[in-house]
Amino acid sequence: MSESNLSPMHDTEMTTPTGGAGASEKGFSGGLQVSTTGMDLRHVFAGATQKTMSSLSAEPKREAGLHGPATGPGLLSNHVVTSMYTTLNFLPKFLVKSFSRVANCYFLMICILQTFPAVSITHGKPTTVVPLTFILFVAACKEINEDLARHRADDEENNTQTRVIASGGVYNETPKETKWSDVKVGDVIEVRNREPIPCDIILLETSHPEGQCQIMTANLDGETNLKTMVANADMMVADRSNMGGYAGEIVCELPNNRLLNFEGTYTRPDGEKVSLGPKNVLLRGVVLRQTDWVRGIAVYTGKETKIQMNAAEPPNKVSSVMKMSNDLTKIMFLVDICFCFMAAVVNATILSTDEAKNSCYLWGNCEYMTEDYASNKMPSGSDSVLIFFTHILIFTNFIPISLLVTIDMVKLGQAKMLEFDLEMYHEIKDHAGDVAEIPMSVKRSDLNEELGQVRHIFSDKTGTLTCNMMDFRKCSIAGKSYGLGTTAIGLSFLKRNNMQIPVVPPKPADDPDTPHVNFIDPEFSKIMKDPSHPEYRAACDFFLSLALNHDVLPEANKAGEVVYSASSPDEAALVYAAKHFGFFFKRTETGGKLVVGKRGAGGQETDEVYEVLNFLEFNSDRKRSSVILREPGTGKIVLYCKGADNVMKKRLAAKQRPDDLMKKTEEHLNQFVDDGLRTLLVGKTYIDESFYTSWKKKFTDAENSLENRDEKRMAVMELIEKDLQLMGVTAIEDKLQDGVGDALTSFRGANIKVWMLTGDKVDTAINIGYSCSLLDTGMTLLRACGEDGEMEVDHDKIPTDAAITRKISELLAQAREGDNEKALVVDTSALSAIMQYRKEKDLNEVCKLCKSVICARVTPRQKASIVDMVRFADPGVVTLSIGDGANDVPMIQTAHIGVGIHGLEGRQAVNNSDYAIGQFRFLRKLLLVHGRWNYRRTCKVCLYMFYKNVCYVVPQFLFGLYCMMSGQPIYHDFIYQMYNTMYTATPIVIYGILDRDVTKEVALANPWLYFDGQANQFMSRKIFMKWVGEGIAHASTCFWVPVFCYKYGIFDAQGLNLDLFTGIGTFTNMLAVVVASGRLYCETGYFNYPHPYIARGSCASQFFEGMVSWTGSGCTWQLISFALWWAMLKMISDFGVDGVMGTYFFEVGGSFPVLAQDLGLYMVMIWGMVFVFAWSFSLILAQDLFGTQLRANVANRMEAEKARIQRDNGGGAKVNGMLTDEDDEDFAKV
């Protein structure tokens, strides 16, 4: 075989791995002679490390592309590193990452400027290094903490033990224990039951006689069900003398990221070649189950394994608030530059006046003042430049140095508060019956505030709105419907259409209790017990097909009971249904035989063995599965097929028996749809022996093809899945999760548009929408569905450009008619046309006028396209996607916020999400309560950080008016730097984590409060300018009051005037701390004081609990700020940083009579502190003051909202979840 005969295949949907097991070249000709000249291949020699290494080193380098990350030459080692840092590279990599932030670069520039004596105000000492180092230290601790977790995971994985049989030309009779990191390409390894696979290996043999093994791929694709892989029967040779029979050569494709595809050949020691497919490969990370051992050849190791090639960095998501914060930082930098330019101009202007020229003290010693000397000292252009840069240093804090680290700390605290919320805790029982605890988890705290601004929610249905726990409820067999009662969705349909609700008889006492079967029909139970009944044979054949046509694996749980593990809950429910009615799938035996236990009418059980000839698997493109087998006794070849109705109808025989079978089945199908049941059509056909023989040859050729293998296989499958006789319809219920209706109603009241994206039929999706309150009877339903037949379609069954344009225009006109709410239903064909003809913005205009949108029959790829379409059509909105399965990952990653639900389909959605919850109902509190709180908190934190710096820096500018803008600072530089990092650092962090303006009960009862985030009510450029203006006003007060009080300075006990820093500068600093803390206190909306705890008893623990909760009050924040300020001042004195400062602290601050000699200073200090403390303690004494005011504010807003609704709708009906008159009593209780 030429080594250029392989071609890569593009990956398909994330479904169960497809592709049959590889087959020997014997039995077909030309199957391996596909020419793909010039393609590079990998050559692996089993057990021959040196020879393999030479081959790997010759592999070409490939740039990153569709195949995955850059590769080549080949890697021999299996050592894996996922951590970002090492001991050697931490410092350079961390510094590069840190200084990629503009703010850190700005403060680095400040440090550099401070070292130039000509412009420095710190005598050439870079004092900003201290706070900058502190900021970087905190960031470094955060990075180290996160990376240590990666290091621990890497060490644990690399040091895991496996067994090597052949390596480096040495064959081990007894497998040798080896670390994963020591495994090399070409090694023959052995893996035992319940052990993970250390690298990508080609199966050589297994403990199963047929070469089968079971694996669980949860680490790979998130699915927890078991899958069957197989070692080709022709892989091993009879002669085991040469390396135990393992000395073969593998020729395969180069490393790539296509999880579901593999193409290659294995040359045995005797020279015979065997083709290899995806069923012959075990990938790193999957776990071996229900198999004693497997042996295989390592073909891809380390970073070249498929799971590592798919380990891409998650998409970078930045919240809109942080984007605006970055813009505001740039604005403040421009303001800083303007202030510095003004200072330089004012300085040059003043010094150019005659008065300045005649002021000898400005130019030197007046005794030697001459005209020439003065002229030489006159300011020049270079002096103005120096003054400009001097003021850059003076106004350093216009940009908060601690902004980024403060926000990081706040968001970390918010994340912990989310995870500690026990009301979002859930428990779930897995397939094995084990209970798993599921708390809410935060994976990306950077988006906390984005949760308060969501406008669109894109939700999967199965497992997200529903439980994904399937129950067999009804069926139609040979044109007759069986199964009584209705579902919650069906009950909603009956009530909505004023139809009679049927009475369900009790379940017969002798009916067995079977998991996932909720079937009640006494008449049908009698049929299954009476072999002479005319409908008995058809019913038995129907359930026999369910017991045979599946990929279910039986296994024993901890209780010893046999449970079924399947690729989907639907599949397992159908096999359980077959068991319930007497057809018990037991096991798979050697030779591909299925053993089915049959329970007779008398209760006796007999086993029947069916020879499986072929299994044609289900995937999202085929939407059906088939099994071809030979009947025991008769020897006839029969094909059983089940699948979606729109696929199966095309494959039914033109003539059905009886003649009205299809008509009756269609009626039953529609009834099941009204009940919201998931349906599959079941059919069968007998196959002529000669036709099967010729078809089998074509299928074998397709399976062994090395080019377009999957396409060829599916084309051959089409040849045999035809002329089916309709057997019946299965109907399975997927129950709605608790609280879904309440959550969706609240979202509509919060002006959040909910999109339900489902693969169900249109009518099924509509019925589910009504049952879960996504739709209600007062809504006008707008439809854009290709299956309605209203639009002209092309040869691909997609509406034409003119048809979809006309339809959207009609929908837009209908959406604007009337005052009632609208809902839109779109199916996959209409969506395909909208995207193909670029009508996204037109559709978005219709969606804006609708409260809910349902997209039916959509594929996983279309889900992500829909999210992207909305983001493109309306860039200003925030989108959220929520799902529970691997097929929801693209949608989750495309949206601004991705939420994963822990479900029965694995953890892939959770692993790729930003937030993870246990049930959809928790999303209500996550958005309406925590989302709104965090949005308000983060906005206030950003605004306050700029405000308090404006309040602190503007006095520097005002002081310049007294010193000709000469660059003389008013504050001691050390205290100046500590303002942000110490004195005012703690209060805003506590505020950002704990503060709330409304209680959770009020937020949930009034979803319209969520409008604040959608309308950017807490943060905008206008609001920012208001805060800046307020900061300038407060700064003016902090400066002018001390100046007017101390126009002539402050005097010590000997009557000497203290210096500038000790006098006006120090107490301006003090006032700025007081005012900034008081301003934050004014923003505080949540006060939780200790006295309710003390009232319950004198227990010290209760008092401590009260004091901890008291951190939510502004009073405690004042104490913290003041304590930090005075402690720092005392530290400066003790270390002798400034002798005058020490004199001030002990002689003035410690001598009350001296301090009291000037009542102005005394009154300024006392007034500020008394004002703040009095306000705080007045609230302590009147604990209900806040609650009363809050209720009054909310009540007023509620009345205004009710009035608006009544004006718009002409009545007082309950709209969008708003509180109305009849709810006032309940609201009063809240």
Side-chain angles (χ1 to χ4, degrees), residues 288-419:
L288 187 67
R289 297 288 296 273
Q290 296 189 354
T291 308
D292 292 337
W293 53 264
V294 298
R295 291 178 177 179
I297 303 173
V299 64
Y300 304 128
T301 57
K303 291 184 178 180
E304 293 184 339
T305 57
K306 289 183 180 286
I307 190 172
Q308 289 292 322
M309 296 283 280
N310 277 275
E313 285 292 322
N316 185 31
K317 297 182 180 181
V318 182
S319 70
S320 56
V321 171
M322 291 311 300
K323 290 178 182 177
M324 178 168 286
S325 177
N326 293 334
D327 292 340
L328 297 181
T329 300
K330 296 174 184 177
I331 292 174
M332 289 307 296
F333 179 73
L334 294 177
V335 171
D336 185 8
I337 296 298
C338 291
F339 268 73
C340 296
F341 181 76
M342 290 169 56
V345 170
V346 170
N347 176 262
T349 302
I350 293 177
L351 293 181
S352 299
T353 62
D354 293 337
E355 181 181 358
K357 292 178 181 179
N358 296 326
S359 301
C360 59
Y361 68 90
L362 295 175
W363 316 111
N365 194 324
C366 293
E367 187 175 336
Y368 299 102
M369 184 70 175
T370 64
E371 185 174 347
D372 292 338
Y373 181 84
S375 62
N376 292 331
K377 292 291 186 177
M378 290 295 108
S380 62
S382 59
D383 292 329
S384 297
V385 173
L386 295 178
I387 290 295
F388 175 84
F389 283 107
T390 298
H391 281 87
I392 286 285
L393 298 179
I394 292 176
F395 300 151
T396 298
N397 280 355
F398 254 128
I399 298 175
I401 189 172
S402 59
L403 175 62
L404 297 177
V405 71
T406 298
I407 291 177
D408 286 344
M409 294 171 65
V410 164
K411 291 188 175 183
L412 179 61
Q414 291 173 352
K416 293 303 179 183
M417 297 299 289
L418 283 169
E419 293 176 338

Side-chain angles (χ1 to χ4, degrees), residues 53-74:
M53 184 185 302
S54 300
S55 173
L56 296 181
S57 62
E59 289 182 1
K61 291 185 178 181
R62 291 193 297 170
E63 299 295 330
L66 292 176
H67 63 83
T71 61

Side-chain angles (χ1 to χ4, degrees), residues 698-713:
K698 295 176 183 178
F699 188 67
T700 302
D701 290 346
E703 279 198 317
N704 289 282
S705 173
L706 295 180
E707 187 177 73
N708 302 323
R709 180 181 295 173
D710 282 350
E711 290 84 348
K712 292 179 180 179
R713 290 181 72 252

Side-chain angles (χ1 to χ4, degrees), residues 281-565:
V281 183
L282 298 187
L283 302 182
R284 179 185 178 118
V286 305
V287 179
L288 187 67
R289 297 288 296 273
Q290 296 189 354
T291 308
D292 292 337
W293 53 264
V294 298
R295 291 178 177 179
I297 303 173
V299 64
Y300 304 128
T301 57
K303 291 184 178 180
E304 293 184 339
T305 57
K306 289 183 180 286
I307 190 172
Q308 289 292 322
M309 296 283 280
N310 277 275
E313 285 292 322
N316 185 31
K317 297 182 180 181
V318 182
S319 70
S320 56
V321 171
M322 291 311 300
K323 290 178 182 177
M324 178 168 286
S325 177
N326 293 334
D327 292 340
L328 297 181
T329 300
K330 296 174 184 177
I331 292 174
M332 289 307 296
F333 179 73
L334 294 177
V335 171
D336 185 8
I337 296 298
C338 291
F339 268 73
C340 296
F341 181 76
M342 290 169 56
V345 170
V346 170
N347 176 262
T349 302
I350 293 177
L351 293 181
S352 299
T353 62
D354 293 337
E355 181 181 358
K357 292 178 181 179
N358 296 326
S359 301
C360 59
Y361 68 90
L362 295 175
W363 316 111
N365 194 324
C366 293
E367 187 175 336
Y368 299 102
M369 184 70 175
T370 64
E371 185 174 347
D372 292 338
Y373 181 84
S375 62
N376 292 331
K377 292 291 186 177
M378 290 295 108
S380 62
S382 59
D383 292 329
S384 297
V385 173
L386 295 178
I387 290 295
F388 175 84
F389 283 107
T390 298
H391 281 87
I392 286 285
L393 298 179
I394 292 176
F395 300 151
T396 298
N397 280 355
F398 254 128
I399 298 175
I401 189 172
S402 59
L403 175 62
L404 297 177
V405 71
T406 298
I407 291 177
D408 286 344
M409 294 171 65
V410 164
K411 291 188 175 183
L412 179 61
Q414 291 173 352
K416 293 303 179 183
M417 297 299 289
L418 283 169
E419 293 176 338
F420 292 162
D421 191 341
L422 292 179
E423 293 184 3
M424 292 194 290
Y425 170 84
H426 184 60
E427 292 183 350
I428 190 172
K429 187 175 291 187
D430 60 18
H431 295 291
D434 298 328
V435 175
E437 298 180 346
I438 304 173
M440 191 273 171
S441 61
V442 178
K443 299 177 178 295
R444 195 193 293 261
S445 60
D446 293 342
L447 303 176
N448 288 348
E449 68 276 13
E450 201 88 328
L451 293 169
Q453 296 181 282
V454 174
R455 291 293 297 271
H456 294 269
I457 294 177
F458 299 89
S459 175
D460 176 41
K461 179 186 74 69
T462 304
T464 303
L465 299 178
T466 62
C467 297
N468 200 21
M469 299 181 66
M470 310 300 178
D471 285 344
F472 185 87
R473 287 297 303 265
K474 298 183 179 183
C475 61
S476 172
I477 304 175
K480 293 187 178 181
S481 178
Y482 302 104
L484 304 178
T486 186
T487 64
I489 298 171
L491 188 63
S492 174
F493 174 81
L494 296 175
K495 290 180 178 179
R496 191 167 63 250
N497 293 278
N498 297 318
M499 299 172 66
Q500 184 178 359
I501 299 175
V503 178
V504 182
K507 179 181 178 180
D510 56 349
D511 272 9
D513 292 326
T514 308
H516 303 291
V517 177
N518 185 12
F519 185 93
I520 300 176
D521 192 334
E523 292 300 320
F524 187 72
S525 297
K526 293 178 181 178
I527 293 174
M528 295 305 295
K529 297 172 184 175
D530 184 5
S532 62
H533 197 284
E535 298 169 11
Y536 175 80
R537 183 176 181 81
C540 288
D541 204 18
F542 178 82
F543 288 107
L544 176 62
S545 72
L546 300 184
L548 295 171
N549 182 14
H550 57 78
D551 60 358
V552 166
L553 297 172
E555 58 178 334
N557 61 13
K558 293 182 178 180
E561 302 169 340
V562 175
V563 295
Y564 292 129
S565 175

Side-chain angles (χ1 to χ4, degrees), residues 202-272:
I202 301 297
L203 278 174
L204 290 173
E205 58 180 339
T206 75
S207 59
H208 194 280
E210 294 295 313
Q212 295 179 344
C213 65
Q214 314 299 329
I215 60 171
M216 185 173 69
T217 60
N219 292 333
L220 201 64
D221 57 15
E223 297 182 6
T224 56
N225 55 283
L226 300 185
K227 299 179 177 65
T228 301
M229 309 302 276
V230 62
N232 196 293
D234 298 322
M235 293 288 284
M236 298 305 300
V237 295
D239 182 11
R240 294 295 187 102
S241 60
N242 184 12
M243 296 288 290
Y246 301 127
E249 177 188 356
I250 294 174
V251 180
C252 62
E253 58 195 11
L254 292 176
N256 58 72
N257 60 356
R258 296 186 293 273
L259 291 173
L260 309 183
N261 295 83
F262 181 83
E263 296 179 357
T265 59
Y266 175 68
T267 304
R268 305 191 319 189
D270 60 3
E272 187 171 347

Side-chain angles (χ1 to χ4, degrees), residues 678-691:
R678 300 160 64 92
T679 58
L680 291 174
L681 262 62
V682 181
K684 68 178 287 189
T685 186
Y686 284 98
I687 302 172
D688 182 73
E689 190 79 38
S690 60
F691 176 79

Side-chain angles (χ1 to χ4, degrees), residues 725-800:
Q725 286 295 318
L726 180 61
M727 300 176 68
V729 179
T730 64
I732 293 177
E733 178 187 12
D734 188 7
K735 294 181 180 179
L736 289 172
Q737 293 183 10
D738 294 336
V740 168
D742 292 338
L744 294 176
T745 300
S746 295
F747 292 150
R748 284 166 48 202
N751 197 32
I752 300 175
K753 199 180 310 301
V754 180
W755 299 59
M756 184 175 77
L757 312 180
T758 176
D760 289 335
K761 294 179 63 177
V762 173
D763 291 339
T764 302
I766 291 173
N767 287 328
I768 292 173
Y770 278 114
S771 66
C772 67
S773 301
L774 183 64
L775 308 175
D776 64 40
T777 54
M779 283 184 171
T780 299
L781 208 58
L782 310 179
R783 294 175 63 115
C785 304
E787 69 178 38
D788 291 345
E790 298 179 358
M791 293 181 282
E792 181 185 353
V793 298
D794 57 19
H795 63 281
D796 294 324
K797 305 299 182 183
I798 296 175
T800 62

